[in-house]
């Protein structure tokens, strides 16, 4: 997609400017949601438990504490949350060390945001050790700020990570465009008052006021994100 974009910060007809772009990581920029599920299946198999495929929609996009806690409760596995967290991060890290596929359109979008010097943050529920490994592949230089799930008291679906990212970039949350792939992430961004682009990965996400749903990042460029500022924001 070729974008003919005015200088960053120009205003829409309504007088609103896009100030920053905040991006989720797993399932949004990198095709890794399946890696998390595969790691969960493998770890619980070693513990003598088989995961129900229906649980995948429950744990997708959630913070480690919620997803792992749910699986422990659902299976009755004899393991602590801290022990399971280490095993899941190890399993996931092993997988991304072998392959780290980008989502369609991700590389182009990141390059465009960098070229136009748009303040951009990576906002993920994944732990810092995982984010740093992924950044080594997708390019830490694309982001002025990164927020990890183990660095905030309340991660997604709470608004805290997106409010922290907006504040760190000196941006008004209502002037931030957020790109997310899960209902959990969308809920966090909308609770923060951001403009949301949902790009569903594993589970469907329905349209709503202040939310735009697209099939892939190939439908998103800077001109598209500027256009979001003319739509009403959702606040909770």
């Amino acid at each position: 997609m070729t974008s003919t974009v005015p200088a960053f910060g120009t205003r829409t007809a309504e007088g609103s400017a896009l100030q920053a772009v905040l991006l989720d990581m797993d399932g949004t920029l990198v095709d890794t949601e399946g890696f998390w599920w595969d790691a969960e299946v493998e770890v619980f198999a070693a513990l003598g438990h088989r995961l129900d495929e229906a649980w995948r929609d429950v744990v997708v996009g959630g913070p480690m504490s919620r997803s792992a806690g749910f699986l422990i409760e659902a299976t009755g596995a004899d393991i602590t949350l801290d022990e399971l967290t280490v095993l899941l991060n190890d399993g996931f890290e092993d997988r991304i060390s072998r392959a780290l596929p980008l989502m369609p359109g991700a590389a182009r979008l990141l390059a465009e945001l960098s070229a136009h010097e748009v303040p951009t943050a990576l906002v993920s529920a994944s732990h810092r050790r995982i984010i740093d490994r992924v950044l080594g592949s997708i390019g830490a230089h694309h982001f002025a700020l990164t927020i990890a799930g183990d660095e905030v008291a309340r991660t997604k679906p709470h608004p805290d990570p997106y409010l922290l990212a907006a504040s760190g970039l000196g941006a008004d949350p209502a002037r931030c465009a957020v790109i997310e792939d899960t209902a959990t992430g969308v809920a966090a961004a909308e609770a923060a008052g951001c403009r949301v682009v949902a790009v569903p990965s594993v589970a469907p996400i329905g349209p709503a006021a202040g939310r735009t749903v697209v099939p892939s990042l190939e439908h998103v460029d800077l001109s598209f994100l500027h256009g979001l500022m003319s739509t009403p924001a959702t606040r909770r």
Side-chain angles (χ1 to χ4, degrees):
M1 180 186 298
T2 300
S3 174
T4 53
V5 185
F8 177 71
T10 56
R11 300 193 173 267
T12 65
E14 289 72 27
S16 302
L18 175 68
Q19 293 182 348
V21 177
L22 315 178
L23 295 140
D24 174 54
M25 187 177 76
D26 294 300
T28 299
L29 292 177
V30 289
D31 191 6
T32 51
E33 290 292 8
F35 288 3
W36 281 114
W37 179 248
D38 290 345
E40 288 158 353
V41 168
E42 180 179 80
V43 168
F44 277 90
L47 295 170
H49 298 276
R50 181 176 180 180
L51 300 189
D52 188 322
E53 185 70 24
W55 296 342
R56 184 173 184 176
D57 288 352
V58 178
V59 301
V60 67
M64 179 72 74
S65 57
R66 190 199 74 185
S67 300
F70 168 82
L71 293 175
I72 290 172
E73 183 176 353
T75 60
D78 183 17
I79 189 171
T80 68
L81 181 59
D82 287 344
E83 291 169 339
L84 180 57
T85 296
V86 171
L87 292 176
L88 292 178
N89 276 325
D90 286 347
F92 181 81
E93 196 166 354
D94 176 64
R95 284 166 171 79
I96 64 174
S97 69
R98 289 180 268 141
L100 186 59
L102 293 180
M103 297 298 287
R108 175 200 48 77
L109 178 60
L110 289 175
E112 183 180 19
L113 294 174
S114 292
H116 286 263
E117 299 183 347
V118 179
T120 303
L122 185 70
V123 183
S124 177
S126 289
H127 289 187
R128 171 55 59 185
R129 61 178 280 195
I130 300 299
I131 288 179
D132 287 346
R133 284 295 300 272
V134 172
L135 284 173
S137 295
I138 65 177
H141 63 281
H142 290 302
F143 306 99
L145 178 68
T146 62
I147 306 291
D150 57 340
E151 295 174 340
V152 291
R154 301 190 310 169
T155 188
K156 305 172 188 180
H158 298 287
D160 305 37
Y162 282 113
L163 292 174
L164 182 61
S167 176
L169 295 176
D172 177 354
R175 298 290 171 259
C176 294
V178 170
I179 305 179
E180 273 279 0
D181 73 303
T182 68
T184 299
V186 166
E190 290 180 344
C194 302
R195 310 299 174 94
V196 179
V197 180
V199 190
S201 59
V202 175
I205 299 173
R211 178 192 310 165
T212 303
V213 182
V214 297
S216 82
L217 290 180
E218 292 181 317
H219 294 257
V220 180
D221 63 5
L222 189 49
S223 179
F224 176 92
L225 296 175
H226 273 290
L228 293 180
M229 296 300 105
S230 64
T231 64
T234 297
R235 291 191 182 271
R236 293 183 183 177

